[in-house]
Amino acid sequence: MITVHHLENSRSQRVLWLLEELGLPYEVRRYERNTRTMLAPPELLAVHPLGKSPVITDDGRTVAETGAIIEYLTERYDGQHRLVPPAGSEARLRYTYWLHFAEGSAMPPLVMTLVFRGLPNSVPALVRPVARMISQGVQKRFLNPTLEKQMALMEAELTRDAWFTGPEFSAADVMMSFPVEAARARQVLGARPRLAAWLATIQARPAYKAALEKGGAYAYA
């Protein structure tokens, strides 16, 4: 039995969704964030040395990192290759790119945006004006232009086809869900009709809805 060590409002929601798309049985062990720091609880350290989610255990194996988990699950359980395009195809090349883009390129500036927006309120009142100036400067000169360029790239890709790898839904769309949902939550998505339509489509999928029922509240949905 696959066990998903699931942290609320986290990347692990994608793992639940993928398992539902694959129709696999699994168990969910829920963990709640510290209400003050919003970090994962120390109990996760017993599962993986970094103490973060997502992590799965399966047949004596422990697999961490969302992309690695998705590759593991599709390679082991997607025997009909429903969620991964054929090797050597153009769709497979796009699939590999977006599978890695989600965490390698999309998430770092989104995380930094969250950090810098919260910076002024995390320091003593005396230095808040300076912290606010630094925060606004980093966002204006680096983060906002980077995010604008990335959102434009995503929108353009969905102008080509309905999904990130072409005309067929794939596990790369599962991976891309979290950065796009996070971008909307942080109000950096902008007027992107293709991305908005894609989000509405994935969130209407029965497997997506089933994953929400299994995982519990998810602020980005």
Side-chain angles (χ1 to χ4, degrees):
M1 173 70 76
I2 299 169
T3 299
V4 182
H5 298 272
H6 173 59
L7 180 66
E8 61 178 342
N9 293 327
S10 78
R11 292 158 164 86
S12 60
Q13 186 64 39
R14 290 178 293 190
V15 177
L16 303 183
W17 178 21
L18 180 69
L19 288 166
E20 291 291 338
E21 293 283 357
L22 291 170
L24 297 174
Y26 61 95
E27 173 190 8
V28 180
R29 293 187 186 172
R30 295 183 180 85
Y31 301 82
E32 295 183 358
R33 295 180 182 275
N34 182 294
T35 55
R36 184 178 61 82
T37 66
M38 298 307 294
L39 297 177
E43 289 82 1
L44 270 169
L45 286 167
V47 185
H48 188 272
L50 292 182
K52 294 184 177 182
S53 177
V55 181
I56 67 167
T57 51
D58 178 38
D59 195 23
R61 300 182 180 95
T62 299
V63 187
E65 291 292 339
T66 315
I69 293 170
I70 284 182
E71 289 193 271
Y72 170 81
L73 291 173
T74 52
E75 286 175 6
R76 184 166 191 187
Y77 295 108
D78 188 17
Q80 297 180 342
H81 304 289
R82 294 184 300 110
L83 300 181
V84 180
S89 65
E90 174 66 22
R92 184 62 169 268
L93 185 62
R94 291 170 68 182
Y95 171 87
T96 302
Y97 175 78
W98 291 107
L99 189 75
H100 293 280
F101 175 91
E103 291 294 334
S105 293
M107 282 309 300
L110 286 167
V111 171
M112 291 177 67
T113 295
L114 184 65
V115 170
F116 276 95
R117 283 181 180 177
L119 178 64
N121 293 328
S122 67
V123 299
L126 187 63
V127 296
R128 280 178 192 166
V130 175
R132 189 174 295 109
M133 183 173 61
I134 293 172
S135 171
Q136 292 173 348
V138 171
Q139 291 181 70
K140 181 179 179 180
R141 293 183 179 87
F142 172 66
L143 294 176
N144 293 345
T146 299
L147 287 167
E148 175 66 20
K149 186 180 295 184
Q150 291 187 354
M151 297 301 131
L153 175 65
M154 296 179 209
E155 181 78 1
E157 189 73 1
L158 293 176
T159 301
R160 296 174 60 187
D161 291 290
W163 304 103
F164 277 100
T165 57
E168 302 294 331
F169 172 80
S170 77
D173 293 289
V174 176
M175 273 296 288
M176 285 298 297
S177 64
F178 191 79
V180 178
E181 288 174 327
R184 183 177 63 179
R186 287 166 194 154
Q187 299 179 335
V188 298
L189 192 60
R192 313 284 183 195
R194 298 283 183 169
L195 280 169
W198 176 84
L199 268 180
T201 301
I202 66 170
Q203 292 177 346
R205 292 179 72 88
Y208 185 99
K209 293 179 179 180
L212 286 181
E213 292 179 6
K214 296 281 185 67
Y218 177 57
Y220 295 149

